[in-house]
Amino acid sequence: MLRYEVAAEDLALSRFGISPAFELATLLGLLERGGERALPPGWRERLGPEFARLRADPAVRAALALHNPRFGADFIAIPPRGMEQTWADDLAAILAAPPEAARAEIRACLAARPETDREARAVLDAPDAVPLVARALDRAWHGLLARDWPQLRALCERDVVHRAGELGRRGWAAALAGLHENVRWRDGGIDIPPFDETTTYSLRGGGLLLVPSVFVWPGFAAHHEEPWPCTLIYPARGISALWEPGTAVPPEALAALLGRSRARILVALDSPASTTQLARTLGQAPGAVADHLAVLRAAGLLSRARAGRSVLYRRTPMGDALIGSAG
């Protein structure tokens, strides 16, 4: 079992982050290994031809060789600094990797994957291996993930809004509730049972990094070695909207009463969200979403409150009751 011991000062220093690099690496691994696990319906069929085209490039295969089920090269696994992390930030960090450290990590990954093909190994043996791999990952980002990233990012942001609120109002146990069935708060620490070793790590006043993810589902990931701080990467709340698209369809009675677009917005607000997040999640224009939110709020079905630089909307008890009666 893995256990993170949490001291009082860790609460104030714990933070959330979003990791485009982790999402890309996980997506590439899922596409490379095949099978149907952990990709939303239709994604494998939609992304398969582009992935096959990318994989014909030895530099892309070299990037794939830097991951295996147990570990990956640290210089392409960038710990996020916060919620504003972008793919451009990650790419810049990869390009800035110290060459000697990157070379040592490449050797370790090749030792774990000796079957790596000759052309891919030539890329990894080249003096400019780091920029070659970085540019290959950039092509993969734009070919596979960039189009869907605004929606996926919105899902992760909404998860953070919910958990940050729970952490502030009710503490660690509430914030971790539902994070993953194998992660739980116990006696001043976080237990992660599936790991084989029984190891305890103290956060040492450094806090915990919590990273919501789309493609880690149905599992999770934990980091506790440099360059990562103690980290939990977990399935973002609300990703069922991707795996089970039918769950976002409002009941017919509710759609008839409010109109389908407003009903979808009301159903989607099972956790607080901003206008922009809702627009990305539902694929609607921000202006149209703003208009619908104003009508729903005037009807007493929604409330709003400022959180930092965002205005978040949430259902009122009347809105919850309407959803329940229409279901």
Side-chain angles (χ1 to χ4, degrees):
M1 180 179 72
L2 183 65
R3 178 174 170 83
Y4 291 147
E5 292 285 357
V6 181
E9 60 268 27
D10 291 310
L11 178 61
L13 293 172
S14 292
R15 66 273 188 208
F16 291 88
I18 290 178
S19 178
F22 179 86
E23 297 298 284
L24 177 62
T26 308
L27 175 61
L28 286 171
L30 292 169
L31 290 169
E32 171 77 348
R33 290 191 293 272
E36 292 302 318
R37 188 185 72 82
L39 278 179
W43 278 52
R44 195 174 298 279
E45 293 77 10
R46 175 164 63 87
L47 299 181
E50 177 63 13
F51 178 68
R53 187 189 71 78
L54 286 164
R55 202 183 182 288
D57 181 350
V60 173
R61 299 199 303 277
L64 291 169
L66 297 179
H67 286 281
N68 65 68
R70 293 190 60 195
F71 69 93
D74 288 335
F75 78 93
I76 60 172
I78 311 302
R81 294 189 299 273
M83 292 296 297
E84 303 302 319
Q85 193 86 358
T86 66
W87 170 246
D89 295 329
D90 287 337
L91 182 61
I94 293 169
L95 287 166
E100 288 307 312
R103 180 66 56 196
E105 292 167 11
I106 288 171
R107 288 195 295 269
C109 291
L110 288 176
R113 294 188 66 165
E115 76 283 1
T116 301
D117 69 82
R118 187 187 321 176
E119 290 180 321
R121 291 187 75 104
V123 171
L124 295 172
D125 288 336
D128 56 346
V130 170
L132 288 173
V133 168
R135 289 194 289 269
L137 289 171
D138 192 42
R139 291 192 292 276
W141 173 266
H142 289 287
L144 298 171
L145 197 49
R147 188 181 82 174
D148 295 294
W149 182 241
Q151 180 189 18
L152 304 185
R153 186 182 193 98
L155 286 171
C156 293
E157 288 173 345
R158 291 184 66 184
D159 174 277
V160 170
V161 168
H162 169 78
R163 296 193 191 279
E166 292 293 282
L167 185 60
R169 288 190 300 270
R170 299 165 54 198
W172 280 94
L176 296 177
L179 193 112
H180 192 276
E181 62 183 356
N182 291 319
V183 176
R184 59 184 59 88
W185 175 263
R186 182 181 63 84
D187 298 334
I190 301 167
D191 287 346
I192 308 172
F195 285 79
D196 293 334
E197 76 268 21
T198 301
T199 309
T200 298
Y201 291 89
S202 170
L203 300 189
R204 301 179 300 278
L208 181 69
L209 177 61
L210 292 161
V211 181
S213 167
V214 174
F215 297 118
V216 76
W217 184 90
F220 67 96
H223 292 285
H224 44 78
E225 296 179 356
E226 293 291 345
W228 287 76
C230 288
T231 303
L232 282 176
I233 303 176
Y234 61 91
R237 193 170 179 269
I239 57 173
S240 61
L242 291 175
W243 270 266
E244 302 172 25
T247 60
V249 178
E252 287 301 321
L254 189 65
L257 177 66
L258 300 176
R260 186 161 298 277
S261 293
R262 289 174 189 162
R264 287 185 69 203
I265 290 171
L266 193 64
V267 169
L269 280 170
D270 56 342
S271 60
S274 68
T275 303
T276 301
Q277 290 165 355
L278 283 169
R280 289 172 175 171
T281 300
L282 298 175
Q284 298 184 22
V289 171
D291 291 341
H292 293 318
L293 288 169
V295 171
L296 293 169
R297 181 169 173 261
L301 301 177
L302 299 180
S303 63
R304 69 179 184 180
R306 180 165 292 279
R309 290 178 292 176
S310 298
V311 175
L312 302 179
Y313 291 82
R314 68 183 74 221
R315 288 200 300 254
T316 62
M318 185 187 300
D320 289 335
L322 187 59
I323 293 286
S325 62

